């Protein structure tokens, strides 16, 4: 059987100029994120990239490999990724939250516990769920708020971790009311004591 007449060489193959950069960014993102379900993560990555949405990517490589283990607990980096994915809207559906949660290979029972604690309905207020996620990281009100500030800040890593005061008020008030042991006058007094520093 004779060989076909068409022979391909570098001059015959057109490579779009943006393709090498897209593949380079994709490869770096995959290495940093270390997804457990690579195919699903790839599909999600290119789907949100085509829509111009926030990519499901960690900002730095996790030396402990938390995304490679199954059933890992929520970490600050994972909560930050969830926040980037779900915070563009003030509310999200339970289905969207479940999809992102599963994509990070987090245990579903942890998500169900947080949903139960917050008594969320079909539409979930994202900032309230985020605050509850911070309690899963911190345990106490103070440490939860510290995690929230570190995740939400635009400051450089190691900086002050400042966030808008109204966001802090919202998170603190929600968690304090959820705690149930902090009287409203104590909440108001604490927030007014912070006002001169703002």
């Amino acid at each position: 059987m004779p060989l076909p007449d068409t022979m391909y060489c570098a001059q015959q193959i057109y490579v779009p100029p943006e393709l090498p950069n897209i593949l380079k960014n994709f490869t770096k993102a995959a290495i940093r994120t270390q997804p457990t379900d690579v195919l699903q993560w790839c599909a999600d990555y290119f789907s949100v990239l085509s829509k111009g949405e926030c990519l499901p990517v960690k900002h730095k490589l996790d030396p402990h490999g938390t995304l490679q283990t199954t059933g890992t607990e929520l970490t600050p980096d994972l909560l930050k990724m969830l926040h980037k994915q779900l915070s563009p809207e003030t509310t999200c559906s339970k289905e969207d939250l479940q999809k992102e949660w599963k994509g990070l290979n987090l245990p579903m029972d942890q998500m169900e516990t947080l949903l139960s604690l917050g008594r969320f309905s079909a539409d979930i207020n994202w900032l309230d769920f985020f605050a509850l996620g911070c309690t899963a990281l911190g345990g106490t009100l103070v440490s939860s708020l510290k995690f929230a500030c570190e995740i939400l800040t635009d400051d450089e890593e190691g900086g002050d971790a400042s966030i808008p005061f109204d966001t802090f008020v919202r998170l603190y008030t929600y968690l304090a009311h959820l705690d149930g042991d902090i009287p409203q006058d104590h909440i108001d007094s604490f927030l007014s004591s912070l006002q001169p520093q703002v």
Side-chain angles (χ1 to χ4, degrees):
M1 178 180 240
L3 290 173
D5 293 336
T6 308
M7 296 292 287
Y8 292 101
C9 65
Q11 291 79 15
Q12 291 175 299
I13 300 172
Y14 173 73
V15 177
E18 62 273 2
L19 182 61
N21 197 35
I22 290 171
L23 292 177
K24 181 173 112 181
N25 290 335
F26 165 74
T27 303
K28 286 180 177 179
I31 291 169
R32 280 193 308 265
T33 304
Q34 299 287 306
T36 52
D37 186 344
V38 176
L39 290 177
Q40 183 60 53
W41 182 84
C42 293
D44 293 343
Y45 179 92
F46 285 111
S47 174
V48 297
L49 181 66
S50 70
K51 297 173 189 170
E53 297 174 357
C54 183
L55 297 171
V57 175
K58 289 182 77 174
H59 291 291
K60 58 186 176 184
L61 179 64
D62 182 2
H64 306 295
T66 55
L67 288 179
Q68 293 180 2
T69 60
T70 56
T72 185
E73 293 294 312
L74 190 62
T75 65
D77 280 342
L78 295 174
L79 185 55
K80 187 172 195 164
M81 287 176 68
L82 279 172
H83 181 69
K84 288 181 98 179
Q85 293 297 103
L86 298 169
S87 66
E89 302 293 328
T90 55
T91 62
C92 67
S93 68
K94 185 175 180 181
E95 293 77 25
D96 288 342
L97 177 60
Q98 284 175 326
K99 179 181 172 236
E100 298 300 333
W101 197 270
K102 282 181 185 176
L104 295 175
N105 202 33
L106 290 165
M108 294 307 292
D109 59 334
Q110 187 180 30
M111 184 193 80
E112 292 298 334
T113 300
L114 294 174
L115 288 172
S116 176
L117 283 171
R119 295 184 214 98
F120 294 105
S121 60
D123 286 332
I124 300 164
N125 180 295
W126 172 250
L127 206 53
D128 292 348
F129 185 86
F130 172 81
L132 280 174
C134 291
T135 65
L137 301 173
T140 67
L141 180 60
V142 172
S143 60
S144 300
L145 290 167
K146 182 177 182 276
F147 276 115
C149 291
E150 289 170 355
I151 292 169
L152 295 176
T153 190
D154 290 330
D155 296 345
E156 292 290 320
E157 193 170 328
D160 289 339
S162 58
I163 63 172
F165 186 66
D166 59 331
T167 303
F168 181 85
V169 168
R170 170 73 191 274
L171 294 170
Y172 174 74
T173 305
Y174 176 74
L175 292 176
H177 283 139
L178 200 63
D179 180 88
D181 291 336
I182 303 173
Q184 184 64 44
D185 61 335
H186 180 76
I187 295 170
D188 296 338
S189 172
F190 173 71
L191 291 174
S192 63
S193 72
L194 295 178
Q195 194 66 40
Q197 300 173 26
V198 176

